[in-house]
Amino acid sequence: MSTPPAPERIPPGIANALDYERLAAQALPAGHLAYIAGGSGEDLTVSANRAAFGRWAILPRVLRDVRAGHTRLALNGATLPHPFVLAPVAHGLLAHPQAELASARAAQATGACIVPSTLSSRTLEEIAAAAGPARWFQLYLHPDPAHTLDLLARAEAAGYQAIVLTVDASLQLASRSALAAGFVLPRECVAANLARYPQACAPALPEGASRIFQGAMRHAPTWDSLQWLLAHTRLPVWVKGVLHPEDALLLKQAGAAGIVVSNHGGRGLDGSPASLSMLPAVRAAVGADYPVLFDGGVRSGADAFKALALGANAVLLGRLQLYALAVAGALGVAHMLQLLTEELQATMALAGCARLCEITPDSLIPTYPC
Ligand code: FNR
């Protein structure tokens, strides 16, 4: 494995969570960095995700007493100390030799909820043993339903509290930046959860069949497979990768426990809108009380504040988690979460919000180019 071991100390010069992005560029081999930082195609949506935060400014409020302030929230039947969730990210070994075990330890130390990926480098059982009680399992449906059922049974047995079905990445276009950097997934990077399931060979496509529709998409999840999943687990099922307000409403009606407004960090449909830009319409479609999580481009407490103001209950962290992991392992992820929480608290205090529920669209004002 070419990833150098990360030092178990916080490097000097880290003043905010975003510094981990800067330092990760020195900690990671160039190809790994390009794979993690890049999206699909031309990275249009990766850029859009970040740019969307710049379209909003936060309005300060003065003279409000915030001394009873906190960032606690209720989510999926649990009380969490802050609204930061560690997103599912495949192949944690690319960032750190301890991979998801280090993230799990950081989650436990900071009370964060962690959502390990089906494609994690460590098994869901190993991660559960290292994590705190707030853990959900991200599911990619397996072509063989028996294997999906086995994954579900394992997640339930390992004490995961929810299933997060990802629906926006059945097909991923190659990342131009990762290709240009010569990135190839190292042989050691195997999906530990799937090692016990035999890989079925893809059948040859009949002449004239599409490599996309009849090929790559043949096992993609559908509304029927969502119903099948809901009927085969006792855990609440969240659906990740939703941008269209109509899909959000249909998912609520279908029985999803909640949704994650996300474009897979720009790694799915390149050219899709920034997830932040769809958040207000999704919130309007599902109503005030339906749980909506958000991810895509969050790099600071102020970014999280904007997402919460536009309708999210909590935010997931993808790349920031991997950057902190690469720079300083479990300590780095815990430190990054601590910095983000303090950044959010400082933003809330200056915007006159003592609790998360006080962060509303009125806390923001659109910015316009001069
Ligand atoms: C991801 N993401 C992801 N999502 C998922 O549901 N299952 C997965 O296995 C992965 N794998 C993955 C790998 C890498 C390297 C990245 C960067 C992302 C998407 C992830 O959960 C999340 O939606 C985005 O990363 C959010 O955007 P930011 O926070 O990275 O800007």
Side-chain angles (χ1 to χ4, degrees), residues 88-90 117 138 140 166 240 262 264-265 267 295 297 299 318-319:
V89 276
S117 166
Q138 182 268 320
Y140 282 126
T166 297
K240 174 173 180 284
S262 170
H264 217 97
R267 299 168 83 86
D295 73 28
R299 300 289 185 274
R319 292 181 180 84

Side-chain angles (χ1 to χ4, degrees), residues 97-160:
Q98 291 169 10
E100 297 81 10
L101 298 189
S103 292
R105 279 195 277 274
Q108 182 178 40
T110 56
C113 178
I114 184 168
V115 189
S117 166
T118 292
L119 304 179
S120 54
S121 302
R122 305 292 175 145
T123 65
L124 63 93
E125 290 86 358
E126 292 175 294
I127 299 167
R135 53 183 188 269
W136 306 358
F137 179 66
Q138 182 268 320
L139 179 72
Y140 282 126
L141 291 182
H142 200 275
D144 183 338
H147 297 155
T148 301
L149 289 176
D150 192 54
L151 273 173
L152 287 173
R154 289 169 58 192
E156 290 178 14
Y160 287 86

Side-chain angles (χ1 to χ4, degrees), residues 161-184:
Q161 298 163 343
I163 298 297
V164 179
L165 176 69
T166 297
V167 294
D168 62 352
S170 308
L171 181 64
Q172 280 185 289
L173 298 181
S175 154
R176 190 173 284 276
S177 38
L179 279 176
F183 175 76
V184 181

Side-chain angles (χ1 to χ4, degrees), residues 26-313:
Q26 298 156 25
L28 285 165
H32 292 30
L33 179 68
Y35 171 77
I36 291 169
S40 58
E42 309 292 332
D43 290 347
L44 296 174
T45 300
V46 174
S47 306
N49 275 350
R50 287 293 299 132
F53 289 96
R55 293 199 200 99
W56 294 99
I58 301 168
L59 269 176
R61 296 302 304 264
V62 297
L63 300 176
R64 291 188 174 178
D65 185 350
V66 295
R67 283 176 296 178
H70 65 79
T71 54
R72 286 190 294 279
L73 75 158
L75 196 64
N76 199 58
T79 300
L80 300 176
H82 56 73
F84 296 107
V85 175
L86 295 179
V89 276
H91 310 309
L93 200 55
L94 288 174
H96 192 272
Q98 291 169 10
E100 297 81 10
L101 298 189
S103 292
R105 279 195 277 274
Q108 182 178 40
T110 56
C113 178
I114 184 168
V115 189
S117 166
T118 292
L119 304 179
S120 54
S121 302
R122 305 292 175 145
T123 65
L124 63 93
E125 290 86 358
E126 292 175 294
I127 299 167
R135 53 183 188 269
W136 306 358
F137 179 66
Q138 182 268 320
L139 179 72
Y140 282 126
L141 291 182
H142 200 275
D144 183 338
H147 297 155
T148 301
L149 289 176
D150 192 54
L151 273 173
L152 287 173
R154 289 169 58 192
E156 290 178 14
Y160 287 86
Q161 298 163 343
I163 298 297
V164 179
L165 176 69
T166 297
V167 294
D168 62 352
S170 308
L171 181 64
Q172 280 185 289
L173 298 181
S175 154
R176 190 173 284 276
S177 38
L179 279 176
F183 175 76
V184 181
L185 195 66
R187 280 194 20 220
E188 302 88 338
C189 271
V190 290
N193 287 318
L194 306 182
R196 62 172 78 176
Y197 310 127
Q199 290 267 10
C201 289
L205 287 174
E207 200 169 323
S210 154
R211 284 201 309 134
I212 305 299
F213 294 123
Q214 288 82 43
M217 293 299 284
R218 75 187 180 289
H219 295 304
T222 62
W223 290 101
D224 284 345
S225 32
L226 174 65
Q227 285 307 330
W228 176 87
L229 176 62
L230 288 165
H232 283 87
T233 178
R234 58 178 174 76
L235 294 176
V237 174
W238 293 62
V239 177
K240 174 173 180 284
V242 183
L243 291 181
H244 202 298
E246 208 169 287
D247 284 342
L249 182 58
L250 288 170
L251 285 163
K252 178 184 175 185
Q253 292 165 346
I259 53 172
V260 186
V261 172
S262 170
N263 51 30
H264 217 97
R267 299 168 83 86
L269 172 59
D270 194 32
S272 63
S275 30
L276 191 76
S277 65
M278 297 312 297
L279 194 48
V282 166
R283 172 52 79 197
V286 297
D289 296 331
Y290 188 64
V292 173
L293 305 190
F294 166 85
D295 73 28
V298 174
R299 300 289 185 274
S300 70
D303 290 345
F305 182 97
K306 292 176 186 178
L308 297 169
L310 295 174
N313 296 104

Side-chain angles (χ1 to χ4, degrees), residues 66 69-72 81-82 84 301-302 305 338-351 353:
V66 295
H70 65 79
T71 54
R72 286 190 294 279
H82 56 73
F84 296 107
F305 182 97
Q338 175 69 23
L339 287 171
L340 272 187
T341 304
E342 282 177 8
E343 289 170 23
L344 173 62
Q345 290 176 355
T347 310
M348 288 170 66
L350 295 173
C353 303

